[in-house]
Amino acid sequence: MNALFLAFAYLRHNWARALILVVAGALILSVPVVARMLIGATQDSLTARAKATPLILGARGSQLDLAMGALYFTDDRAEPVTMQAAEDVWDSGLAVPIPLLTAFRTGEAPIVGTSLDYVEFRGLEIAQGRMFAVLGEAVLGAGIAAQLGLGPGDTVISSPENLFDLDGVYPLELRITGVLAPSGTPDDDAVLTDIKTTWVIAGIGHGHDDVVTPDADGNVTADAALVQFNRITPDNIDSFHFHGDPDDYPVSAVLLDPHDDRSALILRGRYLDPDSPTRIVRPDAVIGELVERIFRIRSLLDAVMVIVGASALAAMGLALFLAWRLRAPEMQTAFRIGAGRLAIARLAAAEIALLLVAMLALAAGIVLVVTSRGDGLVAWLLALGR
Amino acid sequence: MIRLTDLRFAYPGGGFALNVPDLAIARGERLAFHGPSGSGKTTLLHLLAGLMPPDAGRIEIDGTDIAALPDRARRAYRAARIGFVFQNFALLDHLSARENILYPCRIGAGLRLTRAVRARAQALAEACGIADKLDRKPASLSGGEQQRVALCRALVTGPGLVLADEATGNLDPATRDLILDLLFDRVREAGATLITVTHDHAILPRFDRAVDFADLTGAAP
């Protein structure tokens, strides 16, 4: 007790040095734990969306492009497939197909053409307004809505694919009907609309004035100019129509929600043929492998931490040793007064114990704070890479 | 009664040898050793305190030859029976004046910090005129006040022998005389023996006996 009293008095008197030691020690103890935790949480966060998506149907080619495009709406998309692929799955009765067309953007945000099944499948909820219902309507993810400062009643315009391509895709104004609640997923930064609206953006569907106008005598004259509408309104919506066979319309990928494991297995079996233009991938396997490759850095991080930690501990040991040597006169006084080596060792041990307790407490505090704010920190870390 | 007989000591490596053929010091006597630097005064003080054993000879204190005691027993003897006053005060900056006085009981020198010890510390502080400064750190005390704290620390265990190594060497004459008054009074009250080493010839007349170290040992520095 006396040793603790004396040790505490010494540390309190030399509080700045003690504080530096405690903070340094706490960081040495907590950083590896925190880093492992954050890496684990980031890994989970990266794979969570893949794990929540049983199967993806898309064009044969890069599995990674297909999975990344369908899950995260990345620019590196797989070649599109046709709606026939989704229809085939629907006809099989093995899964609910959810088509995605992610080829277009508005500014930096992807426009995701899909069906209302997607909203249910992802568990998305409307925070303001309502879900899109008719052609030309869209809902904004929480992140992009906050970023652009837009809400229900506002509009966004799809970006032209190529500004100088006269045959290219023309911008279409989308009317915002709602804003989604934050989900912590790429949906937060996306504009969701009906897939038919994205087909309009793609030029497959359009609306325009009548190309023929009867005169007073009933003679029909073809208009020289065909003006397409670049916004869909209640007045012109009826003029919108699509050309060609709907089964041939493009989709970037089809999310599959199998009814059960057996259905999933059967579906996967049906798309094993390497000559088939379409394939099914398991996104958790694809993304899991990618993330596992990325996070092999964890082993390197562990090694670096061991080296840095050992060096820092050695430096702390040296600091303690030198501090103890500076106190030689004090120890000499204690010895002359009658203290034995054991008493002096007990004093040293008490100081080290107090420092260790403080280090552990601070390290635990750091870990607790990081744990309690883990989701936010992971989201912030992931946002850094965007 | 303290008696030194054929006491011999040399530091490893040679160059200095202490030789005290015979010296007797009565209980309660106030004795001052004086002599040139390096003559071995402090070494003799350390031998009397049992900080190190002599090479040969006897150091009998009240019939116990502490030269023959093992290290641990010598330490216990020192803690229980000897009080030390140092020239540089040797107070601990991180402790208050009160805790410096009680330090021998906290450092585990075989003494317990009892209520009686606390009361004795308070009484000593009042007698030395520092009762109102007990909660202050040494850095905020004057040199004289610091030496009074050191004096209280040396006496708080109730030692039978007080050893003072140039205890007034760092003080101005007025403070030196005050400290000596306090030292003599407290030692007398405790019935202890006082042995001091000093360079200051001005204070020698105040002691019962002043021994020139060169006459005592015949040692060559």
Side-chain angles (χ1 to χ4, degrees):
Chain A
M1 196 61 188
N2 283 323
L4 279 175
F5 174 87
L6 292 172
F8 181 72
Y10 178 80
L11 294 175
R12 191 177 55 182
H13 185 73
N14 298 283
W15 64 269
R17 187 166 56 190
L19 184 65
I20 290 170
L21 280 171
V22 166
V23 170
L27 287 175
I28 291 169
L29 291 171
S30 62
V31 164
V33 178
V34 165
R36 274 194 156 269
M37 220 165 62
L38 283 180
I39 286 174
T42 306
Q43 204 167 354
D44 290 346
S45 174
L46 285 172
T47 53
R49 193 166 170 85
K51 284 179 180 164
T53 311
L55 299 171
I56 299 173
L57 173 64
R60 197 163 285 280
S62 167
Q63 294 188 59
L64 189 58
D65 285 352
L66 178 60
M68 293 296 284
L71 296 175
Y72 302 106
F73 318 131
T74 56
D75 289 334
D76 295 327
R77 289 179 298 276
E79 286 296 312
V81 294
T82 63
M83 266 305 278
Q84 180 64 53
E87 294 299 333
D88 288 346
V89 172
W90 185 259
D91 292 342
S92 73
L94 295 170
V96 175
I98 303 168
L100 292 177
L101 182 54
T102 59
F104 307 105
R105 309 187 78 81
T106 170
E108 292 299 311
I111 296 173
V112 179
T114 185
S115 63
L116 288 175
D117 289 336
Y118 181 83
V119 176
E120 189 182 343
F121 177 69
R122 290 290 186 215
L124 301 175
E125 290 176 1
I126 282 284
Q128 300 174 45
R130 60 170 175 80
M131 193 55 67
F132 57 81
V134 298
L135 211 58
E137 292 184 342
V139 293
L140 298 182
I144 192 67
Q147 188 187 330
L148 299 178
L150 299 176
D154 295 323
T155 58
V156 290
I157 301 174
S158 66
S159 306
E161 280 189 320
N162 186 335
L163 195 60
F164 305 104
D165 182 3
L166 295 176
D167 291 333
V169 174
Y170 289 90
L172 180 71
E173 187 179 273
L174 304 175
R175 205 167 53 260
I176 300 165
T177 59
V179 175
L180 297 171
S183 61
T185 68
D187 297 318
D188 285 349
D189 298 321
V191 177
L192 263 59
T193 186
D194 190 274
I195 194 165
K196 292 191 185 74
T197 303
T198 48
W199 286 332
V200 172
I201 296 173
I204 298 166
H206 57 190
H208 48 76
D209 290 328
D210 288 342
V211 293
V212 291
T213 312
D215 62 13
D217 300 329
N219 299 318
V220 175
T221 310
D223 287 344
L226 180 66
V227 180
Q228 291 191 21
F229 300 123
N230 60 1
R231 69 168 60 89
I232 302 171
T233 65
D235 293 335
N236 67 19
I237 191 167
D238 290 337
S239 75
F240 276 81
H241 55 276
F242 295 86
H243 295 273
D245 182 356
D247 286 348
D248 293 336
Y249 294 170
V251 294
S252 304
V254 183
L255 305 184
L256 304 181
D257 187 13
H259 300 310
D260 48 40
D261 291 345
R262 182 173 167 275
S263 302
L265 199 63
I266 295 169
L267 268 175
R268 287 175 60 199
R270 289 187 182 176
Y271 288 84
L272 286 177
D273 181 4
D275 294 329
S276 164
T278 53
R279 76 187 309 171
I280 284 178
V281 298
R282 283 177 49 232
D284 63 330
V286 176
I287 301 297
E289 188 183 348
L290 173 71
V291 168
E292 196 56 44
R293 276 179 193 278
I294 294 170
F295 284 95
R296 278 186 193 158
I297 194 173
R298 188 161 52 183
S299 308
L300 179 66
L301 199 65
D302 287 346
V304 169
M305 277 177 186
V306 167
I307 293 167
V308 171
S311 306
L313 282 175
M316 285 176 62
L318 181 64
L320 280 173
F321 174 72
L322 291 176
W324 199 252
R325 286 197 67 174
L326 285 174
R327 295 171 66 189
E330 178 189 334
M331 297 307 122
Q332 197 177 26
T333 299
F335 178 64
R336 285 178 179 178
I337 284 172
R341 287 190 185 87
L342 184 64
I344 290 170
R346 204 179 295 141
L347 183 60
E351 283 185 20
I352 292 170
L354 284 177
L355 285 171
L356 276 176
V357 167
M359 284 174 195
L360 285 170
L362 184 57
I366 291 171
V367 171
L368 274 177
V369 167
V370 173
T371 307
S372 64
R373 294 162 188 249
D375 291 344
L377 281 169
V378 168
W380 176 73
L381 282 173
L382 292 174
L384 285 178
R386 285 180 196 165
Chain B
M1 174 73 173
I2 300 171
R3 184 163 203 100
L4 310 182
T5 311
D6 292 331
L7 190 67
R8 285 197 292 277
F9 177 81
Y11 284 107
F16 172 81
L18 178 69
N19 182 15
V20 181
D22 185 53
L23 176 69
I25 304 164
R27 179 192 288 269
E29 186 176 0
R30 295 172 301 180
L31 174 70
F33 289 122
H34 63 96
S37 295
S39 58
K41 304 185 298 292
T42 298
T43 300
L44 179 58
L45 221 53
H46 288 177
L47 289 169
L48 281 166
L51 291 172
M52 52 197 182
D55 296 334
R58 296 170 64 85
I59 304 172
E60 287 180 75
I61 301 178
D62 294 334
T64 303
D65 180 10
I66 65 164
L69 294 175
D71 279 355
R72 177 175 279 195
R74 269 209 318 277
R75 180 180 65 75
Y77 182 86
R78 183 165 69 248
R81 303 290 304 275
I82 295 173
F84 237 116
V85 185
F86 306 98
Q87 180 180 7
N88 62 356
F89 320 136
L91 299 179
L92 304 182
D93 293 339
H94 56 278
L95 297 179
S96 65
R98 184 193 314 278
E99 290 305 332
N100 263 288
I101 294 170
L102 297 173
Y103 186 65
C105 306
R106 289 221 184 259
I107 195 62
L111 303 163
R112 300 194 64 170
L113 184 55
T114 59
R115 234 175 237 190
V117 172
R118 285 184 183 278
R120 191 184 308 145
Q122 183 68 30
L124 281 167
E126 284 169 4
C128 290
I130 53 167
D132 58 335
K133 297 179 171 65
L134 285 176
D135 292 327
R136 287 165 60 175
K137 294 280 173 65
S140 67
L141 300 175
S142 68
E145 289 166 342
Q146 289 188 45
Q147 193 58 301
R148 286 188 234 186
V149 174
L151 184 59
C152 292
R153 182 181 63 191
L155 294 167
V156 76
T157 58
L161 172 62
V162 176
L163 302 173
D165 188 358
E166 300 278 10
T168 55
N170 280 354
L171 304 175
D172 62 79
T175 309
R176 174 197 67 193
D177 291 339
L178 184 64
I179 291 294
L180 278 177
D181 288 343
L182 289 170
L183 180 60
F184 288 162
D185 289 348
R186 301 287 83 73
V187 165
R188 189 183 63 250
E189 282 171 12
T193 304
L194 172 66
I195 300 175
T196 186
V197 299
T198 183
H199 282 104
D200 187 356
H201 286 252
I203 65 171
L204 295 180
R206 300 195 56 179
F207 286 84
D208 297 330
R209 185 160 48 132
V211 177
D212 186 336
F213 215 69
D215 294 341
L216 173 70
T217 65

